[in-house]
Amino acid sequence: YFLYHFGGTSPDAALDALLCYQNTDGGFGNGLDPDITCPASTAIATEVGMAYLEGLGITGGDVVDRVEDWIVSAQQEDGSIRHPHTDITAYPHASWWEYDSGSGLALAGFLGKWGRGSAEFFARAEKACTAQGIPGELGKYNYPLYMYLRYSPDAENHSNALTRVREMIPAMLDKYAPH
């Protein structure tokens, strides 16, 4: 991916490298996020994979169909994405990934941006968004909330919440500048 953007490697070569991290279930794992080395598909690794796909200009086709299938199958009734705690802790990992990061909202945001996902999927994602709510202060890991509010099919109805989140971004950037 780095060589695609800075070294002249073709998009096909970058995609071939990325596909090494995609599991047969359609999600991404296998250390795509270096802070989670477990081979199992996880929401954060799938989020990273989707960001790379978008960077390559790939928002459809078989690879994205498979990603969407995994996301839908991993979504819980409350809208969250199944978090394989046992799989994660069995391999070297950063301690902050032992718990669900809320990446399900980022995954829903990507699907909405790409014009994918069913009404049923987004109804469950909306439950997760409502349960999370808008924080009083934005943290450095609240970006999944932003992605969901910005790109969900119901984004028009989230305009007030999105405005509140956007207004908190400068303070969050100041607070976490050293991070």
Side-chain angles (χ1 to χ4, degrees), residues 24-152:
T24 58
D25 63 10
F28 284 91
N30 304 297
L32 182 57
D33 181 302
D35 289 340
I36 302 177
T37 61
C38 80
S41 294
T42 64
I44 188 62
T46 301
E47 178 188 332
V48 170
M50 292 176 86
Y52 287 153
L53 287 168
E54 184 165 86
L56 293 170
I58 300 169
T59 59
D62 182 60
V63 63
V64 175
D65 291 345
R66 294 177 56 229
V67 169
E68 182 178 2
D69 288 346
W70 179 78
I71 294 169
V72 169
S73 71
Q75 188 185 47
Q76 307 297 294
E77 190 58 39
D78 68 359
S80 66
I81 300 295
R82 183 177 57 249
H83 190 69
H85 182 268
T86 304
D87 292 337
I88 289 171
T89 58
Y91 295 89
H93 64 284
S95 59
W96 51 84
W97 290 127
E98 290 183 15
Y99 305 97
D100 182 16
S101 65
S103 288
L105 290 178
L107 301 178
F110 273 118
L111 290 181
K113 186 177 184 182
W114 297 352
R116 302 183 69 100
S118 68
E120 181 181 345
F121 170 81
F122 284 106
R124 286 191 300 267
E126 187 66 26
K127 287 182 191 177
C129 182
T130 300
Q132 179 175 329
I134 306 300
E137 179 181 2
L138 203 60
K140 59 186 171 235
Y141 296 114
N142 287 129
Y143 66 88
L145 175 63
Y146 172 84
M147 288 185 65
Y148 180 75
L149 294 173
R150 172 70 178 87
Y151 297 114
S152 75

